[in-house]
Amino acid sequence: MGGGRKRRRRDGSDAPPVMHPRNRYAAAAPDFAALASLYPSFAPFVTVSGGGRASVDFTDFAATRELTRVLLLHDHGVNWWIPDGQLCPTVPNRSNYIHWIEDLLSSDLIPRISNSSETVRGFDIGTGANCIYPLLGASLLGWSFVGSDVTDVALEWAKRNVESNPHLAGLIEIRNANEAPCSSKSETVAEEAVRENTSEPVDSVVRSIAPIFVGVVKDSESFDFCMCNPPFFESMEEAGLNPKTSCAGTAEEMACPGGEQAFITHIIEDSVSFKNSFRWFTSMVGRKANLKLLVSKVREAGASVVKTTEFVQGQTARWGLAWSFIAPRKNVIRSSTPGKVHHSFMLQGLRRGNGAFQVLKSAETFFCASNLSCKTDSLSFSIDVTLSDEQTQAATLDGDDLPGSVEDDSTKVHSTVTGASFRISVC
């Protein structure tokens, strides 16, 4: 079909996604010309067009590194540097991730771990030489962090970046994941835990990935969250296919066997063994196609809550995946669930011209496949669906999975949610 429709947002609008509203760059992008006048070292990387518009070549590693340095210094009071060849982060994009985690924590859906301190504590998987998440989280919100990595250069420069900021140094600890016992024992622990919590084991991944939590997180240690900017690619050749960005970054930062899908799957596997040590597990996802599969893996692992979001900076989109094994607060569920409300869902794969009966049967098949109790009334073209207590919690807290209305060219399906049951009607 020609001329595809605009993709609609979850709120029903056609507006493009935007930065997090608390991101300091949401209202206005960095003023390159002003920064160049304040920081002479940045001036050579700024080009001003005939119309007076200042720009930066983002395919130039030196330019993006200097931009990151001046933004961290100017807007966050952070001294920062990385050597050539290391992954250079963009400050606005990384800030989006920090503020999203702030939203997760402040929502109070998941109660704090009883033995955690008042200071929010995060664990950054693969912090890199840039150590960007601990530096941003500590400077913006006063959070404390443990950052882990595996290469000597990353560990050395992450520590240097922490030490260059004495006002933040007491909040950030860097750990060498290579010092963790990487043995078959750690694999067995994770695999046994997955089997205990799922009807089917989570898919296996290449075991060359370094330890995530096992041996890195200490006994009786607890965190409010973990975060990760995983290796997105399966090879460095694949990483270099985007001509619009600088392909700076080490092989450990950019690629791993199986790409981000394998790496995040490994986090999911390990998270089962550490479900009582973290309030939230989170990761960035580079490809939307992987997001749905990873959400399924998280659910298979037995998570009580799963949340997703979209991060946007310019033309670049990334996604966030968060999950927890801790039971949600019941009072939050009650207060956020109106007695009667309409929601939206999608039935995919229906052919044009399907009648109301075919749509009704497709809806019945969908909900039965989700292990929900269904009672179909063919005379009124409706289905009464009943959820268990656990399913009610998951549906209430994860907006992506709530039932609602679906429509094609000829048929509309409506649902009304009341308590732990709802009715699907075709009209």
Side-chain angles (χ1 to χ4, degrees):
M1 296 175 62
R5 300 174 182 174
K6 288 184 178 179
R7 185 183 63 173
R8 295 184 69 81
R9 307 293 300 157
R10 287 178 187 165
D11 60 6
S13 71
D14 290 319
V18 296
M19 281 190 183
H20 192 285
R22 287 195 304 281
N23 192 320
R24 70 186 311 136
Y25 308 104
D31 187 332
F32 298 148
L35 289 171
S37 66
L38 291 171
Y39 301 93
S41 60
F42 181 54
F45 302 107
V46 177
T47 301
V48 180
S49 67
R53 182 177 179 273
S55 62
V56 171
D57 181 4
F58 288 101
T59 66
D60 182 349
F61 171 77
T64 57
R65 174 174 59 182
E66 186 60 17
L67 174 60
T68 296
R69 186 189 76 81
V70 298
L71 287 179
L72 286 173
L73 181 59
H74 185 75
D75 294 329
H76 301 86
V78 170
N79 295 299
W80 178 91
W81 190 250
I82 55 172
D84 292 350
Q86 301 296 303
L87 181 64
C88 184
T90 54
V91 177
N93 178 275
R94 301 309 197 264
S95 298
N96 279 339
Y97 194 171
I98 290 288
H99 288 304
W100 180 55
I101 291 179
E102 184 185 13
D103 289 342
L104 291 174
L105 299 180
S106 63
S107 70
D108 214 27
L109 293 177
I110 302 299
R112 296 201 68 172
I113 299 172
S114 58
N115 61 342
S116 62
S117 65
E118 289 301 316
T119 301
V120 171
R121 193 163 187 244
F123 186 93
D124 182 21
I125 301 166
T127 196
N130 58 71
C131 195
I132 188 67
Y133 290 128
L135 291 171
L136 282 176
S139 63
L140 284 170
L141 301 164
W143 293 349
S144 69
F145 278 84
V146 169
S148 68
D149 217 297
V150 295
T151 69
D152 292 341
V153 174
L155 292 165
E156 175 188 351
W157 278 90
K159 291 176 181 177
R160 285 194 190 187
N161 279 316
V162 172
E163 292 166 358
S164 296
N165 295 278
H167 60 300
L168 304 177
L171 295 173
I172 303 172
E173 176 189 353
I174 304 301
R175 292 182 188 172
N176 186 347
N178 283 326
E179 295 177 354
C182 184
S183 64
S184 58
K185 179 179 178 180
S186 66
E187 296 174 19
T188 302
V189 169
E191 289 165 358
E192 288 180 351
V194 170
R195 282 195 293 271
E196 289 175 1
N197 287 273
T198 64
S199 57
E200 296 181 5
V202 175
D203 294 345
S204 62
V205 299
V206 179
R207 288 297 176 182
S208 60
I209 297 174
I212 303 295
F213 303 122
V214 177
V216 185
V217 174
K218 298 176 182 178
D219 294 341
S220 302
E221 197 170 29
S222 63
F223 295 87
D224 290 281
F225 66 90
C226 74
M227 62 193 311
C228 181
N229 183 38
F232 289 143
F233 309 102
E234 295 192 46
S235 67
M236 290 301 287
E237 290 75 18
E238 181 186 2
L241 294 179
N242 187 349
K244 297 182 180 180
T245 60
S246 168
C247 185
T250 64
E252 290 81 4
E253 293 173 307
M254 303 290 287
C256 74
E260 67 175 7
Q261 186 182 127
F263 196 95
I264 299 172
T265 297
H266 193 30
I267 297 176
I268 295 168
E269 289 182 343
D270 268 13
S271 73
V272 179
S273 300
F274 290 83
K275 60 186 177 182
N276 296 318
S277 300
F278 289 83
R279 186 178 173 192
W280 286 100
F281 297 90
T282 80
S283 179
M284 190 180 287
V285 181
R287 296 179 178 178
K288 190 175 182 180
N290 287 331
L291 186 62
K292 184 175 181 180
L293 175 63
L294 292 167
V295 167
S296 297
K297 289 178 181 292
V298 168
R299 295 200 184 284
E300 289 172 9
S304 61
V305 179
V306 184
K307 303 292 284 184
T308 63
T309 194
E310 185 174 3
F311 304 123
V312 175
Q313 180 193 352
Q315 299 301 311
T316 301
R318 295 285 184 264
W319 290 267
L321 170 64
W323 67 98
S324 180
F325 295 95
I326 300 173
R329 290 182 185 272
K330 292 184 179 179
N331 61 331
V332 173
I333 297 173
R334 293 194 190 100
S335 64
S336 63
T337 309
K340 186 175 182 180
V341 65
H342 295 279
H343 295 287
S344 297
F345 69 93
M346 292 293 297
L347 285 179
Q348 297 181 348
L350 294 181
R351 295 180 178 178
R352 289 180 175 273
N354 275 334
F357 182 76
Q358 286 82 6
V359 174
L360 185 72
K361 296 303 292 183
S362 295
E364 178 187 27
T365 300
F366 171 78
F367 287 107
C368 287
S370 301
N371 296 319
L372 302 180
S373 175
C374 298
K375 183 179 179 180
T376 303
D377 185 341
S378 301
L379 295 178
S380 62
F381 287 96
S382 65
I383 309 170
D384 289 322
V385 184
T386 303
L387 288 74
S388 67
D389 289 344
E390 291 183 356
Q391 290 167 333
T392 302
Q393 289 183 356
T396 303
L397 291 170
D398 190 350
D400 294 342
D401 295 338
L402 283 168
S405 84
V406 60
E407 56 182 285
D408 60 15
D409 289 340
S410 58
T411 310
K412 293 185 178 180
V413 183
H414 301 284
S415 74
T416 302
V417 179
T418 307
S421 65
F422 56 89
R423 170 166 291 181
I424 306 291
S425 58
V426 180
C427 54

